[in-house]
Amino acid sequence: VDAHTESSMEIKSLYGCKEWKAVLKEWLNLLKVMRNARSFFRGSVLKEILINRFLMDRDSDIQLTAFECLLNWRDNFLTPYEGSLKNLISFKTLREELTTWNIGIEGQMVEADHRPGLIPVLIRILFPKVMKTKSKSTKQFSGAVQRNAILSFLAHLEVGELAPFFILLLKPLESAFISCGVESVGRKLAWE
């Protein structure tokens, strides 16, 4: 168990699950109103945590607030697609956004120089929705249908752009790969 997981478990033990999420949402709301995120002490670490942990949360409120925190960095690859990414986070607008936003290179809706930064964020937003087993959805857009729609949406990506998605899928098996002596290329980037 790594230090991050241990500290997260300690915090959760101090609060119940619902209380912990409420405290997290308050902290994210505080971070959201702060400006000039590039000047934060250890801002790059904070940004990595927002992307790699909170943007992948199953709770869409936490995802949305984490995304709004990321917008404080004013990255040129995120700001033009703010509306579309927010629509992908919200369950109410997810289905429509999946059908109207063509992320493929041939669709020319995403600029080529924005793709390397945007696609990993996009994958982290959609990943929890693919992994979700139960859904509060309507019968028309159930969990399996939602998963198929998201996978069809991601199928428009280039093969190399799908690497973060497959790394996230295989992350629970990391210990099995390591115990068998299999080393992954770029392991630090892939698993952390």
Side-chain angles (χ1 to χ4, degrees), residues 12 17-26 28-29 50 53-68 85-86 88-91 124-132 134 136 146:
K12 287 181 183 179
C17 187
K18 288 184 180 181
E19 293 86 12
W20 179 82
K21 282 194 174 202
V23 170
L24 174 61
K25 288 177 186 179
E26 290 302 317
L28 289 173
N29 282 326
L50 286 169
R53 172 59 185 97
F54 298 128
L55 202 58
M56 290 181 35
D57 199 277
R58 291 176 189 239
D59 185 343
S60 60
D61 292 335
I62 291 175
Q63 263 193 324
L64 181 61
T65 311
F67 178 69
E68 289 171 343
L85 292 169
K86 283 182 177 179
L88 290 175
I89 292 171
S90 170
F91 180 76
R124 282 170 173 77
I125 287 172
L126 293 176
F127 186 74
K129 292 165 178 51
V130 170
M131 299 306 291
K132 188 180 273 188
K134 295 181 182 176
K136 297 179 184 177
Q146 176 179 333

Side-chain angles (χ1 to χ4, degrees), residues 3 13 25-26 35 40 46 48 57 72 78 84 89 98-99 102 111 121 141 145 159 171 179 181 185-186 192:
S13 67
K25 288 177 186 179
E26 290 302 317
R35 297 292 173 229
F40 290 171
L46 177 61
E48 280 186 44
D57 199 277
N72 285 337
L78 277 184
S84 296
I89 292 171
L98 288 174
T99 57
N102 184 357
E111 293 183 33
V121 171
F141 202 48
V145 173
V159 174
K171 187 174 181 176
S179 67
V185 176
E192 296 180 8

